[in-house]
Amino acid sequence: MRRFLIAGNWKMNCGPADAAELLEGLKENKAEVADEVDVLVCPPFVSLSMSVNYLHDTDIQVGAQNLHFEDNGAYTGEVSASMLVEAGCAYVIIGHSERREYFGETDETVNKKVKKALSADLVPVICCGETLDQRKAGDHFDLVKTQITAAFAGLSADEALDTVVAYEPIWAIGTGETASPEQAQEMHAHLRSVLADLYDEDTAEGIRILYGGSMKPGNAEELLGQKDVDGGLIGGASLKADSFAEVITIAEKLSA
Ligand code: PEP
């Protein structure tokens, strides 16, 4: 059995003061003793350093929600991979659907960012997923194949093993709608086979594929119970310490 990764995507929530409160709650909920589960929080840029400091005595890791693919220079408003490393980040979310929709992220920029993250020893959490219209039209399998094939272009199998994939159906993000466990498993198995075609079975097996889209304590067990679901990327429910800790506890129990 793979080791679950439970990741919180805080999006544009929690400046340093709110972050401290949320992390304090997480510690109180004893999430840091989740020995069998990897735990990650992804605060906004301004709260990264304080989150790293705050969590230094725990196993909880910190990641960013984006990076630029250039090293430095005249890119107003952007943050580089080396800056994230300096701030203490271990992971970075890349290609979230909100970045694709609102900030012009493309399959090509996702690929550049994945390469830059890997070159800086940051683990990229590569997001993919379809809209409701694409699913209704039956295009969802081809769509995520295109996204993943582009994101991994030029990566060796060893590099691919240092990545995490997150399947996030856009119709399930922040909507309260969730993919059924069967829909999640079906897509995760498809992603696994896409990765096996790009590399080989062992590599595909070694890459964690997270589910994201309204995961919460009430549905985490059945989603995480699917064979190819290796964890969760969690938005709304990661902003409450007790619900995030509950999902971690569910993952921990499933790992036993
Ligand atoms: C996300 O944005 O990564 C996400 C999964 O959000 P939510 O859990 O709120 O649907």
Side-chain angles (χ1 to χ4, degrees):
M1 127 99 61
R2 261 167 245 111
R3 202 177 150 87
F4 285 118
L5 171 62
I6 302 298
N9 173 15
W10 293 5
K11 311 194 186 195
M12 198 171 71
N13 297 292
C14 296
D18 288 344
E21 200 177 315
L22 179 50
L23 295 174
E24 187 58 36
L26 250 191
K27 285 196 198 185
E28 275 169 21
N29 278 279
K30 299 204 175 8
E32 79 270 24
V33 299
D35 292 335
E36 306 302 327
V37 177
D38 291 330
V39 180
L40 169 68
V41 292
C42 299
F45 289 134
V46 291
S47 301
L48 288 174
S49 288
M50 64 75 52
S51 297
V52 169
N53 290 335
Y54 212 86
L55 295 170
H56 78 274
D57 55 347
T58 78
D59 289 339
I60 302 174
Q61 291 190 289
V62 176
Q65 301 171 18
N66 183 32
L67 83 173
H68 197 322
F69 49 77
E70 295 293 348
D71 289 329
N72 48 50
Y75 300 102
T76 303
E78 295 294 324
V79 172
S80 71
S82 61
M83 292 173 190
L84 297 181
V85 171
E86 196 178 337
C89 290
Y91 290 75
V92 57
I93 298 172
I94 296 180
H96 190 281
S97 59
E98 287 153 14
R99 295 216 54 86
R100 292 179 192 255
E101 182 177 355
Y102 305 129
F103 303 103
E105 197 86 85
T106 64
D107 287 343
E108 194 188 353
T109 57
V110 167
N111 178 244
K112 287 184 179 176
K113 291 181 178 195
V114 168
K115 287 177 175 160
K116 183 52 68 177
L118 287 168
S119 74
D121 282 335
L122 288 164
V123 178
V125 179
I126 304 166
C127 300
C128 64
E130 80 285 357
T131 64
L132 191 54
D133 284 349
Q134 287 162 335
R135 178 166 277 265
K136 282 185 179 159
D139 293 339
H140 45 305
F141 292 122
D142 285 346
L143 190 271
V144 298
K145 180 177 181 179
T146 303
Q147 289 175 326
I148 288 300
T149 304
F152 282 82
L155 264 59
S156 68
D158 279 350
E159 288 172 321
L161 283 167
D162 288 335
T163 70
V164 171
V165 168
Y167 169 56
E168 299 209 304
I170 295 169
W171 47 274
I173 296 181
T175 59
E177 291 272 332
T178 315
S180 68
E182 295 75 25
Q183 285 173 320
Q185 170 54 30
E186 185 183 38
M187 184 56 93
H188 282 229
H190 171 65
L191 285 165
R192 193 88 66 200
S193 77
V194 169
L195 291 167
D197 286 347
L198 289 175
Y199 299 101
D200 53 71
E201 298 282 341
D202 285 350
T203 305
E205 278 300 314
I207 298 172
R208 288 196 280 200
I209 306 177
L210 313 184
Y211 169 79
S214 299
M215 187 184 271
K216 50 185 180 282
N219 59 27
E221 184 165 356
E222 51 180 6
L223 287 162
L224 294 173
Q226 302 303 307
K227 177 176 165 293
D228 287 291
V229 177
D230 307 319
L233 181 55
I234 303 170
S238 73
L239 294 174
K240 292 193 203 96
D242 53 353
S243 56
F244 191 56
E246 226 180 297
V247 175
I248 295 166
T249 305
I250 290 167
E252 182 98 342
K253 278 196 198 129
L254 287 170
S255 307

